[in-house]
Amino acid sequence: MRAFVFAARSLVRQPGRTALGIIGIAAVGALLFDMLLLSRGLVVSFRDLLDSVGFDVRVTATDSPLPAGVRMKDATLAAAAVAELPEVAQVIPMRTASGEIVLPGGRTVAAGFTGMDPSTRRPWTIVSGQDLSPLTTPPAIVINEPLSDAIGLPIGSELTLRAGCDPGRAVSTPRTFRLVGVAQFPFDDEAQNTAVVSRDALREACGDDRDEADMLMVASSGGSAAAVAAIKAKRPDLFPITNEQIVARMQTEGFTYFRQISAVLSTITLIFGFLLITVLLTVSVNQRLAEIAALRALGFSRMRAAADVFVQGALLVGIGGVLAVPLGMALSIWLDRILKAMPGIPAAMHFFVFEPRTLVTHAALLLATTLLASAYPMWLVARLPIASTLRNEVVG
Amino acid sequence: MVARRPVGVALLSATLAALSVVARSETAPPSGAGVLVSRQLMAAQQLRVGDLVSLSAEPDGSQPRSFRIVGEYEPTPDPMRLGAVRHEVRLHLPDLIDLRASGSNPLDTETVDAINVAVGSPSDAGAIARRLFTAIPGAVAQRAGNDERRAAPFVVLERFHLAIAIVTVLASSVFLLALMLMLVEERRSTVGVLRLIGFRRSRILQHVLAEGVVIALAGAAFGILLSVVMQGGINQFFQWRYDTALVFVRITPGVALRSIAVAVPLGVAAIFASSWSLLRGEVLALTRR
């Protein structure tokens, strides 16, 4: 406690230097905090996004868990086979297509279309109007807000849709749909035009009779791992994958750039922080050599003098580290806004996501940096020759 | 000896499609159309030039066709596919169309994803693209290298890196100021003696600024030298990590000049700001008398 008070008084005696040291550590600490948020931000955010949809297993025709790859044939049969499993609560086939909405006057608006049958679970949230209904004539269509803004037509209007469902085929004849609602889709980016119709309606719009799906969305009843095992046993030709496995795959393949840049910048930040603290403490010790020698002559032990240096470093880093957290949070909002301008990033995803473990890691890294950075000035103080230092000071 | 391994690859030609295929390598009689296989796929499947492989457009590998590997190639580095395993095969366009054609749709043999056009004069490319756009309804014609959608992620990343650089420079400036305050404190008596022997404030200020410029230039030069030395190591690490030929760090003269333009004024300003209290102080106070 006495070492703490003594070190605090030493710092207060040099307010300008102390303030600059704390501000510098706060800035470095904020950057370190942000890099820790970035290191797992996308993964945590992507996992939350997948879980929010309400399906915990996806089944595809190949080992790619993303839609718009090789389509599954006889999807209705496959869905029925999977739905029979006791480990499965619900199965919904999903098909995607690209195309355009043809507006009066010939203007077209490009959009991505999803064909999904209405069910109790659906990966969208109705903002206005109604949800899809199989009984609507002409077939119902629900669109997202950017598409609604782009076409500028009210709910209840009829829309002409021209779908391109297969790159090997010509675009099909336009079909008419009734706009029944506007919804938010979790995987949309801020500028993406998206619409959803029933799978049968999309098949008609595509002008083919192929019972295909990009994937089966599966909600398990007794855990995703058990559902995956049961699906694999029943249909070895299909590729089921859990949300956790998708996240793990994205972590090793898709999000590596940001993990790498986070690791590089965290390392550089820590080195920078180490240099900052070492230089501050070392210069401070060098300027106080006479004072420290006098204290030693008065009876301060080596340990006590070294502890004083360490506590000074700990106080600087502690105050700077605490300030770094709100500063880092504010900075992360700015950086997140910059990165979210990247095309294809869902609006609901974030690059910087706070987790309690980030605080613990941040504190541990700063503590380790303080220990390392204090080592050299502590060593200088511990081996300080009392008599010759005092003599040099008097002569000087 | 025949090895059958199901492998997912991308088949590329003038037409580009992502397909699941069955690959088979064997030492067989010289038949089959030639294909090029990416270095990564050759290594992953232990293939050799001259091997026969079977490719199929079906997810279950049915209806395979035999091809002979005539060469290995390095895929064009693509930052958009960083981290993706480049298991790719290049086929002649007719071979790819044959492989994918279902037989039920005559348009299958007439369909490509894109047609690359080389124009006589690059300056006419924009006008030709516009003419094609109006002449062929439904087709999209655009200049190569002018794809804003592909460039957008890198514009965003550049902004992100700039933001990080600004924060780093701010933190460095505070660090520098704290350091200079300490160092100037050590010079208190020297400045006092110079003032006592007749040096004017402006003369001492010139010395301080000259010293600041030299230190800032030396620091900036050292920083650039360190970056140049490190860029090879950083590139090698990330090229190994992502198995790509992409260049991640490139210190250009423009980057070096920009660094100097930021570092030198900041360094001089820090020295000047920290020295200001000494220059304004009374001589006796400086000499502690």
Side-chain angles (χ1 to χ4, degrees):
Chain A
M1 188 61 193
R2 276 184 297 179
F4 179 83
V5 174
F6 192 78
R9 282 181 179 160
S10 298
L11 289 175
V12 169
R13 215 172 48 178
Q14 305 278 353
R17 182 190 304 178
T18 304
L20 283 172
I22 288 172
I23 292 170
I25 290 164
V28 171
L31 199 54
L32 174 66
F33 187 69
D34 282 350
M35 290 308 111
L36 293 174
L37 296 182
L38 179 65
S39 66
R40 283 179 43 84
L42 271 179
V43 172
V44 173
S45 189
F46 188 58
R47 187 182 59 210
D48 291 347
L49 201 58
L50 283 175
D51 291 343
S52 71
V53 172
F55 299 93
D56 51 359
V57 176
R58 280 149 178 80
V59 183
T60 52
T62 67
D63 63 352
S64 167
L66 301 174
V70 176
R71 291 204 187 104
M72 184 187 303
K73 292 177 177 167
D74 299 322
T76 308
L77 275 178
V82 172
E84 284 173 1
L85 295 167
E87 292 85 356
V88 170
Q90 193 169 33
V91 184
I92 301 178
M94 187 194 86
R95 180 177 177 177
T96 59
S98 58
E100 55 194 15
I101 290 175
V102 185
L103 297 169
R107 188 168 72 91
T108 58
V109 178
F113 298 98
T114 302
M116 266 182 98
D117 294 328
S119 71
T120 51
R121 286 185 176 87
R122 57 183 69 84
W124 60 83
T125 307
I126 296 291
V127 176
S128 60
Q130 298 172 343
D131 205 349
L132 291 181
S133 161
L135 303 174
T136 316
T137 307
I141 184 169
V142 170
I143 62 177
N144 71 350
E145 287 168 312
L147 183 54
S148 175
D149 294 340
I151 63 174
L153 292 176
I155 290 171
S157 307
E158 289 194 349
L159 301 181
T160 305
L161 188 156
R162 195 157 55 197
C165 306
D166 191 331
R169 285 170 179 265
V171 174
S172 61
T173 317
R175 300 288 170 127
T176 304
F177 285 79
R178 184 173 302 284
L179 176 59
V180 296
V182 175
Q184 285 178 338
F185 296 84
F187 290 96
D188 283 355
D189 66 37
E190 284 173 359
Q192 191 172 334
N193 293 331
T194 303
V196 62
V197 298
S198 72
R199 207 160 60 91
D200 285 343
L202 185 61
R203 193 159 56 182
E204 279 182 25
C206 289
D208 61 42
D209 55 356
R210 289 179 291 185
D211 181 18
E212 292 181 337
D214 288 35
M215 64 169 63
L216 305 180
M217 312 276 283
V218 176
S220 68
S221 56
S224 55
V228 163
I231 295 167
K232 275 183 180 166
K234 183 154 190 177
R235 290 291 302 264
D237 58 318
L238 299 180
F239 290 81
I241 185 166
T242 63
N243 286 355
E244 289 77 21
Q245 288 168 331
I246 293 174
V247 169
R249 193 181 289 189
M250 293 305 283
Q251 198 167 359
T252 54
E253 292 174 8
F255 301 150
T256 45
Y257 177 78
F258 291 103
R259 276 199 304 128
Q260 297 289 339
I261 198 166
S262 149
V264 169
L265 286 176
S266 297
T267 310
I268 291 172
T269 308
L270 282 173
I271 292 171
F272 192 65
F274 166 79
L275 285 175
L276 172 62
I277 301 163
T278 306
V279 170
L280 283 178
L281 291 180
T282 306
V283 174
S284 170
V285 162
N286 281 334
Q287 288 180 348
R288 292 172 53 222
L289 284 179
E291 177 191 321
I292 294 166
L295 289 170
R296 291 286 316 282
L298 287 172
F300 272 52
S301 66
R302 285 175 198 273
M303 190 71 100
R304 176 72 174 75
D308 179 45
V309 173
F310 175 73
V311 173
Q312 276 192 40
L315 276 172
L316 284 174
V317 175
I319 298 169
V322 168
L323 289 176
V325 174
L327 194 62
M329 290 299 284
L331 186 61
S332 74
I333 294 169
W334 178 47
L335 295 176
D336 196 56
R337 200 173 299 157
I338 290 174
L339 285 178
K340 278 184 75 174
M342 203 173 282
I345 298 294
M349 264 180 81
H350 296 280
F351 288 81
F352 299 83
V353 177
F354 176 77
E355 292 178 290
R357 61 187 269 181
T358 309
L359 271 183
V360 178
T361 312
H362 186 242
L365 285 173
L366 286 181
L367 180 64
T369 308
T370 311
L371 279 169
L372 285 173
S374 308
Y376 176 65
M378 283 167 73
W379 178 74
L380 279 182
V381 168
R383 61 183 281 277
L384 187 70
I386 300 170
S388 59
T389 305
L390 288 174
R391 182 178 170 281
N392 288 340
E393 181 66 14
V394 171
V395 172
Chain B
M1 179 67 180
V2 175
R4 286 185 71 87
R5 293 183 291 270
V7 187
V9 302
L11 302 183
L12 298 111
S13 175
T15 304
L16 189 148
L19 302 172
S20 287
V21 305
V22 168
R24 183 180 66 175
S25 73
E26 59 185 26
T27 48
S31 62
V35 293
L36 296 177
V37 177
S38 68
R39 173 183 58 78
Q40 291 87 339
L41 182 58
M42 293 281 273
Q45 297 301 321
Q46 297 170 341
L47 298 171
R48 292 187 307 271
V49 173
D51 281 355
L52 276 181
V53 290
S54 295
L55 303 180
S56 163
E58 300 302 321
D60 59 1
S62 60
Q63 300 171 359
R65 280 193 55 200
S66 193
F67 292 89
R68 179 169 296 284
I69 300 173
V70 295
E72 173 186 319
Y73 74 98
E74 180 69 39
T76 307
D78 183 356
M80 291 297 286
R81 302 185 62 195
L82 193 63
V85 183
R86 304 291 295 269
H87 285 180
E88 297 174 359
V89 177
R90 283 187 180 272
L91 294 82
H92 292 290
L93 179 59
D95 292 335
L96 181 57
I97 288 176
D98 282 350
L99 190 66
R100 295 200 65 209
S102 62
S104 61
N105 185 359
L107 279 177
D108 280 352
T109 57
E110 292 293 327
T111 304
V112 294
D113 289 293
I115 298 172
N116 295 316
V117 179
V119 296
S121 167
S123 58
D124 296 337
I128 291 172
R130 282 193 294 276
R131 213 184 311 157
L132 284 173
F133 189 73
T134 52
I136 311 171
V140 176
Q142 61 184 17
R143 289 184 62 175
N146 194 27
D147 187 348
E148 287 180 8
R149 195 170 173 279
R150 283 181 70 79
F154 304 106
V155 174
V156 172
L157 280 181
E158 194 177 336
R159 274 187 224 142
F160 174 68
H161 290 157
L162 181 65
I164 295 288
I166 289 170
V167 175
T168 310
V169 165
L170 286 175
S172 309
S173 304
V174 175
F175 175 29
L176 191 63
L177 201 55
L179 189 61
M180 292 314 298
L181 270 180
M182 290 181 175
L183 294 180
V184 161
E185 192 61 30
E186 287 181 350
R187 292 182 152 194
R188 176 180 286 272
S189 55
T190 310
V191 172
V193 170
L194 286 173
R195 293 276 302 280
L196 278 174
I197 62 175
F199 276 73
R200 291 195 308 274
R201 281 196 178 100
S202 59
R203 179 73 192 279
I204 298 172
L205 184 65
Q206 283 173 12
H207 278 283
V208 167
L209 288 178
E211 190 180 300
V213 170
V214 170
I215 291 174
L217 277 173
F222 177 74
I224 290 166
L225 192 66
L226 191 65
S227 309
V228 170
V229 170
M230 284 175 70
Q231 73 170 339
I234 291 171
N235 281 330
Q236 275 182 3
F237 172 77
F238 282 106
Q239 283 167 353
W240 163 79
R241 174 67 183 79
Y242 294 113
D243 196 10
T244 177
L246 274 176
V247 176
F248 290 79
V249 179
R250 182 174 284 156
I251 309 295
T252 61
V255 169
L257 285 175
R258 226 184 307 166
S259 303
I260 292 171
V262 173
V264 172
L266 269 178
V268 173
I271 289 175
F272 182 73
S274 54
S275 306
W276 187 245
S277 60
L278 288 189
L279 293 173
R280 289 185 61 199
E282 290 300 321
V283 178
L284 292 179
L286 291 173
T287 51
R288 300 175 198 270
R289 296 287 186 273

